[in-house]
Amino acid sequence: MAQHRVVIVGGGFAGLKLAKDLKCRDTSITIIDRRNHHLFQPLLYQVATTVLATSEIAWPIRALFRDRKDVNTLLGEVVGVDLERRLVLLKDGNAVPYDTLVLATGARHAYFGRDEWEPFAPGLKTLEDATTIRRRILLAFEKAELETDPETRKALLTFSIIGAGPTGVELAGIIAQLAHRTLVKEFRSIDTSSARILLVEAGPRVLPVFPEALSEYATKSLTKMGVEVRTGQPVTACNENGISIGDEFVASRTVIWAAGVQASNAAAWVGAEMDRAGRAVVQPNLTVTGHPEIFIVGDTASVKTEQGDTVPGIAPAAKQQGEYVAAIIKARRRKRPEPPPFKYKHLGNLATIGPSSAVIHFGKFRLKGGIAWWIWGLAHIYFLIGTRSRMAVALSWLWVFLSGHHSARLITQKETLKDEV
Amino acid sequence: MAQHRVVIVGGGFAGLKLAKDLKCRDTSITIIDRRNHHLFQPLLYQVATTVLATSEIAWPIRALFRDRKDVNTLLGEVVGVDLERRLVLLKDGNAVPYDTLVLATGARHAYFGRDEWEPFAPGLKTLEDATTIRRRILLAFEKAELETDPETRKALLTFSIIGAGPTGVELAGIIAQLAHRTLVKEFRSIDTSSARILLVEAGPRVLPVFPEALSEYATKSLTKMGVEVRTGQPVTACNENGISIGDEFVASRTVIWAAGVQASNAAAWVGAEMDRAGRAVVQPNLTVTGHPEIFIVGDTASVKTEQGDTVPGIAPAAKQQGEYVAAIIKARRRKRPEPPPFKYKHLGNLATIGPSSAVIHFGKFRLKGGIAWWIWGLAHIYFLIGTRSRMAVALSWLWVFLSGHHSARLITQKETLKDEV
């Protein structure tokens, strides 16, 4: 039997799970990613807010497959697919042949047609996004300390987060904690506890995927922590000076985008039908219509649940799809019947609100507060890769818990204040 | 008594030690630095070589003085000093008044008039320098894995370190370890153990500040680790393809500069006499001639030992100077006699060679090998700031020791392969 070449584009949750599960005779796997590392995105906001170090939530993909001779890792940027000759086309002109292709290229934050907002309201998807946001937050306090004009100072001490899904809620909570507790004793000219943290949501409530009671609890907790929650009010403008919420302009020098994502270009590469968010509409077995040898999984695929909803873009969904596709490829290689259509099993939703509170919704099980936070924390440590990262993250959290001090408060990348918007 | 304003420019070893020691009634301290963090430079090479995370060796300056109401921290770039009006001039146009001024602005790597080499041979002074070098080293392996031309592949797998002082020796040792051990099992097309690591030194031997016997030991250890040591041969050219050692051209895509430093501009700001390395020649009490209210300390000062040598640019020397200046200022404030001229006490030299060997020279005490490495390691952990960093660095080293795997192997800052030289 000839070697069967499986090419996976994207080393996110879906791609990694697939490669891990797919261990099959006469089958070789190539993982192509434009970054050298897998990123644990659910904790990326903690890098942006100075709690965790970059290397605590990212691992070199090739190191994860050190002991798998059948897995080849390739650092490269995919620009297209030659469907006829079955080649993945790279930006550097190289082409990688495949027998089975899996596109797991994820999503990027999207501005719903307002791309001009991006320089003023960075989103959070890569390590660089996180260190950029971290730099902006810390620089805002530093500049406020030097500023003599009270209006400008107020604008520097106003932080706006657009979008109140889990990421927006988590960001608002930690920024409030940073301003109202961690930094209070460190500045001499400003009172950081006077900082204003706005969480702006166009929809009617925060954490819309949670039951209403938990949304209400989250709003109350955030308010108690000093976050100003503004729901039902879309942001209508955004520039270097601040944002407009409906008709009201709020001077705010630090704005973070947590409002929406756009799928990668994978659908276009293979000519698949797209939904409104740019996701590829796939067959019930996650293949591309007319191309049983091509699968699309994770945030870049539009998959329906049994109830007809779209499967959410979260890590457990991506992993389930990776696992499912591994099972199909194995069945095909062993000439056994393929498994039945992909069925998403929703495990539940988790979100933290600040340093010691969380909400959990698992079917009929609902929990909020401190115990929910511990469950959230243990679950995330469990899902990290390797003992080393688990120890490091546990140590970082323990330290915050005991001392209240964040250990990754570095302004990096830009040399001076003047370089910054 | 009116408040006496001490302004310290630079939050390095000298500046921090001075601020820590100078706790004096009616005296306020302002620390100005263009970075928000103090950096533990002796371990910076370990960030560049994927062993440590950036936040493990850097701390926000203002956090270190959280409990000192008399200490004010200011993020800003100094561009000059108005000696008559006693003002420190900042790039943003602001000016900070002083009664006593301490310039502790350190040094930057220097190319001895060959500044055009900088893009090809980055040096190691800031966190960004370290992540840049880390990215280049890791990308060289990634590109070699994709490369089909054997000559280009060889150039990608040739790493040259220019300068064999402690930093050069330490870099060469860890890169050899990375190539010949850590990465061996992870690549499929290349054999990383075939990588060539060159340590090039214009002088007659490596680690010139150590006794000859220890230099010889270091050379032997490095050679055993697979480092090619080339002494007595200056680098005569450097470009994107490699370096010339004397008349010989060596194709080498990754070149790191560890050969020399140049003092900051502080001497020019105050019109002080400069030595050849740009350091300010100061009075025996570390003040500027004609300006008893201005001190220059650390790597940017040219200070003589009792034997007439120049005090070396190392952390213990900087700390001793900071301590000394604190004592002078205290004496002046209390109207007591000033301490006698600064006297440098050389504690010794330490350098590591790879993962489990070091050389130590403390007066008549000489030590090499594994035990020296443990002393080196414990000394560095001791000198880190705070329990948190000590635990994190100890954990990182323990992990390397037990597993052989480095935990900060991230390529960051540049999105694609193509962006890189």
Side-chain angles (χ1 to χ4, degrees):
Chain A
M1 199 156 77
Q3 191 80 353
H4 186 85
R5 295 162 301 183
V6 177
V7 173
I8 302 171
V9 184
F13 287 107
L16 280 201
K17 179 67 178 158
L18 167 51
K20 290 224 154 154
D21 279 18
L22 183 59
K23 218 172 163 174
C24 203
R25 211 152 45 97
D26 301 316
T27 304
S28 72
I29 299 174
T30 299
I31 304 174
I32 306 175
D33 200 296
R34 53 183 172 179
R35 307 308 300 265
N36 84 321
H37 50 267
H38 168 69
L39 181 63
F40 194 79
Q41 280 186 353
L43 289 179
L44 191 57
Y45 78 98
Q46 295 215 351
V47 173
T49 50
T50 76
V51 173
L52 296 179
T54 49
S55 54
E56 288 172 5
I57 57 159
W59 308 269
I61 296 167
R62 63 171 72 256
L64 301 175
F65 294 97
R66 187 183 283 127
D67 299 321
R68 286 276 302 273
K69 290 277 172 212
D70 57 323
V71 178
N72 193 15
T73 309
L74 202 152
L75 182 67
E77 191 167 347
V78 173
V79 290
V81 175
D82 183 332
L83 294 169
E84 283 206 5
R85 298 197 294 157
R86 298 197 174 177
L87 293 172
V88 175
L89 308 173
L90 301 184
K91 201 179 174 185
D92 63 9
N94 283 319
V96 182
Y98 64 84
D99 298 307
T100 296
L101 174 63
V102 184
L103 300 174
T105 40
R108 191 67 209 147
H109 43 268
Y111 292 83
F112 311 127
R114 305 301 292 260
D115 287 350
E116 68 276 17
W117 292 0
E118 184 160 21
F120 316 117
L124 189 60
K125 272 284 174 188
T126 67
L127 282 181
E128 286 80 4
D129 291 342
T131 50
T132 296
I133 290 173
R134 181 174 80 183
R135 183 178 70 245
R136 290 197 184 195
I137 294 171
L138 293 173
L139 271 179
F141 289 106
E142 295 291 342
K143 289 186 197 173
E145 175 82 352
L146 296 172
E147 184 60 54
T148 48
D149 174 58
E151 284 305 308
T152 310
R153 183 177 272 191
K154 214 173 134 190
L156 284 164
L157 290 176
T158 302
F159 300 83
S160 306
I161 296 105
I162 306 175
T167 301
V169 167
E170 286 164 339
L171 281 169
I174 302 209
I175 296 173
Q177 155 87 356
L178 195 65
H180 300 160
R181 295 198 197 164
T182 310
L183 297 180
V184 167
K185 286 179 72 185
E186 297 188 16
F187 288 82
R188 304 290 175 254
S189 306
I190 56 168
D191 175 10
T192 63
S193 67
S194 72
R196 191 175 169 200
I197 292 102
L198 268 96
L199 179 62
V200 191
E201 167 62 44
R205 59 190 174 99
V206 308
L207 298 177
V209 299
F210 283 81
E212 266 194 63
L214 291 181
S215 292
E216 268 170 43
Y217 171 77
T219 303
K220 265 185 212 158
S221 298
L222 286 166
T223 309
K224 210 189 283 173
M225 294 174 66
V227 175
E228 217 176 303
V229 181
R230 306 276 291 259
T231 50
Q233 294 168 305
V235 170
T236 51
C238 178
N239 61 36
E240 69 267 42
N241 295 316
I243 56 171
S244 294
I245 309 173
D247 293 335
E248 180 200 355
F249 179 77
V250 180
S252 170
R253 290 288 180 91
T254 310
V255 181
I256 305 172
W257 186 260
V261 293
Q262 173 79 21
S264 70
N265 287 329
W269 297 340
V270 296
E273 188 194 334
M274 277 183 243
D275 72 2
R276 278 198 313 169
R279 288 175 296 211
V281 178
V282 289
Q283 293 292 310
N285 68 350
L286 309 183
T287 57
V288 174
T289 313
H291 288 281
E293 78 282 11
I294 303 180
F295 296 86
I296 303 187
V297 291
D299 288 4
T300 209
S302 176
V303 185
K304 294 288 172 205
T305 64
E306 283 183 304
Q307 290 76 39
D309 301 326
T310 302
V311 170
I314 56 178
K319 284 184 179 178
Q320 287 176 32
Q321 292 171 35
E323 195 178 350
Y324 175 79
V325 172
I328 292 201
I329 298 174
K330 270 195 252 182
R332 287 183 183 172
R333 294 293 294 149
R334 290 166 184 166
K335 308 216 184 295
R336 290 186 191 153
E338 289 192 19
F342 174 73
K343 212 167 121 185
Y344 172 63
K345 196 176 162 213
H346 188 63
L347 296 171
N349 289 311
L350 290 169
T352 44
I353 314 153
S356 56
S357 180
V359 286
I360 293 181
H361 179 222
F362 274 12
K364 299 213 163 160
F365 178 70
R366 295 172 187 193
L367 195 65
K368 60 193 183 193
I371 294 169
W373 186 89
W374 282 97
I375 294 174
W376 172 91
L378 290 173
H380 280 75
I381 284 180
Y382 174 78
F383 283 116
L384 288 171
I385 298 177
T387 312
R388 173 74 182 89
S389 301
R390 290 188 187 116
M391 285 165 76
V393 170
L395 177 63
S396 293
W397 287 351
L398 191 70
W399 196 255
V400 172
F401 186 78
L402 294 175
S403 74
H405 301 152
H406 298 185
S407 50
R409 266 174 49 205
L410 303 179
I411 298 176
T412 50
Q413 293 169 20
K414 301 260 181 174
E415 286 286 325
T416 66
L417 289 166
K418 289 279 172 180
D419 290 333
E420 231 353 80
V421 186
Chain B
M1 200 155 77
Q3 191 81 354
H4 186 86
R5 296 161 300 183
V6 177
V7 173
I8 302 170
V9 184
F13 287 108
L16 279 200
K17 178 66 178 159
L18 167 51
K20 290 225 154 154
D21 278 18
L22 183 61
K23 217 170 162 177
C24 202
R25 211 151 47 95
D26 301 315
T27 304
S28 71
I29 298 173
T30 299
I31 303 174
I32 306 175
D33 200 296
R34 54 183 172 178
R35 308 307 300 267
N36 84 321
H37 50 267
H38 168 68
L39 181 63
F40 193 78
Q41 280 186 352
L43 290 179
L44 190 57
Y45 78 97
Q46 297 215 349
V47 173
T49 50
T50 74
V51 174
L52 297 178
T54 49
S55 54
E56 288 173 4
I57 59 158
W59 308 269
I61 296 168
R62 63 171 72 256
L64 301 175
F65 295 98
R66 189 182 281 128
D67 299 322
R68 286 275 302 272
K69 289 279 173 210
D70 57 323
V71 178
N72 194 14
T73 309
L74 202 151
L75 181 67
E77 191 168 346
V78 174
V79 290
V81 175
D82 184 332
L83 294 168
E84 282 206 6
R85 297 198 294 157
R86 299 198 172 174
L87 293 172
V88 174
L89 309 173
L90 301 183
K91 199 177 175 185
D92 64 7
N94 283 320
V96 182
Y98 65 84
D99 298 307
T100 296
L101 174 63
V102 184
L103 300 175
T105 40
R108 190 71 205 147
H109 43 269
Y111 293 84
F112 311 128
R114 306 301 292 260
D115 287 350
E116 69 275 18
W117 293 359
E118 184 160 21
F120 316 115
L124 189 60
K125 272 285 174 188
T126 67
L127 283 181
E128 286 80 4
D129 291 341
T131 49
T132 296
I133 290 173
R134 182 174 79 184
R135 182 178 72 245
R136 290 197 184 195
I137 294 171
L138 295 173
L139 272 180
F141 288 106
E142 295 291 342
K143 288 185 197 173
E145 174 84 350
L146 297 172
E147 184 59 55
T148 48
D149 174 57
E151 284 305 309
T152 309
R153 185 180 270 192
K154 214 173 135 191
L156 283 164
L157 289 177
T158 302
F159 299 84
S160 306
I161 296 106
I162 305 176
T167 302
V169 167
E170 286 164 339
L171 283 168
I174 302 209
I175 295 172
Q177 156 88 355
L178 196 64
H180 300 160
R181 296 202 197 162
T182 310
L183 297 180
V184 166
K185 286 178 73 184
E186 298 188 15
F187 288 82
R188 303 289 175 254
S189 306
I190 55 168
D191 175 9
T192 63
S193 68
S194 71
R196 190 175 168 200
I197 292 104
L198 267 95
L199 179 63
V200 190
E201 167 62 43
R205 60 192 176 97
V206 307
L207 298 177
V209 300
F210 283 81
E212 267 193 63
L214 292 181
S215 291
E216 269 169 42
Y217 171 78
T219 302
K220 266 186 212 157
S221 300
L222 286 166
T223 309
K224 209 187 285 173
M225 294 174 67
V227 175
E228 214 177 305
V229 181
R230 305 276 291 257
T231 51
Q233 294 168 304
V235 170
T236 51
C238 178
N239 61 36
E240 69 267 42
N241 295 316
I243 55 171
S244 295
I245 308 173
D247 293 336
E248 180 199 356
F249 180 76
V250 180
S252 169
R253 290 288 180 90
T254 310
V255 181
I256 306 173
W257 186 259
V261 294
Q262 172 81 22
S264 71
N265 287 329
W269 296 340
V270 296
E273 189 194 334
M274 277 183 243
D275 73 1
R276 279 197 313 170
R279 288 175 296 209
V281 177
V282 290
Q283 292 292 310
N285 69 351
L286 308 184
T287 57
V288 174
T289 313
H291 286 283
E293 79 282 11
I294 303 180
F295 296 85
I296 303 187
V297 292
D299 288 3
T300 209
S302 174
V303 184
K304 294 288 172 206
T305 65
E306 284 182 306
Q307 289 77 36
D309 301 326
T310 302
V311 170
I314 57 178
K319 283 185 179 178
Q320 287 176 30
Q321 293 171 33
E323 195 178 351
Y324 174 80
V325 173
I328 292 201
I329 298 173
K330 269 196 249 180
R332 287 183 184 173
R333 293 295 292 151
R334 288 164 186 168
K335 307 215 186 297
R336 290 185 192 154
E338 288 191 19
F342 173 73
K343 211 168 122 184
Y344 172 61
K345 197 176 161 212
H346 188 62
L347 296 170
N349 288 312
L350 289 170
T352 44
I353 313 154
S356 58
S357 180
V359 286
I360 294 182
H361 179 221
F362 273 12
K364 299 213 164 158
F365 179 70
R366 293 171 187 195
L367 194 65
K368 60 194 182 191
I371 294 168
W373 187 88
W374 280 97
I375 295 175
W376 172 91
L378 290 173
H380 280 76
I381 284 180
Y382 174 78
F383 284 117
L384 288 171
I385 299 177
T387 312
R388 173 76 182 85
S389 301
R390 291 189 187 116
M391 286 166 76
V393 170
L395 176 62
S396 293
W397 287 349
L398 191 70
W399 197 255
V400 172
F401 186 78
L402 295 175
S403 73
H405 301 151
H406 298 185
S407 50
R409 267 174 48 205
L410 303 178
I411 298 176
T412 50
Q413 293 168 21
K414 301 261 180 171
E415 286 285 326
T416 64
L417 290 166
K418 289 280 174 182
D419 288 334
E420 230 355 76
V421 186

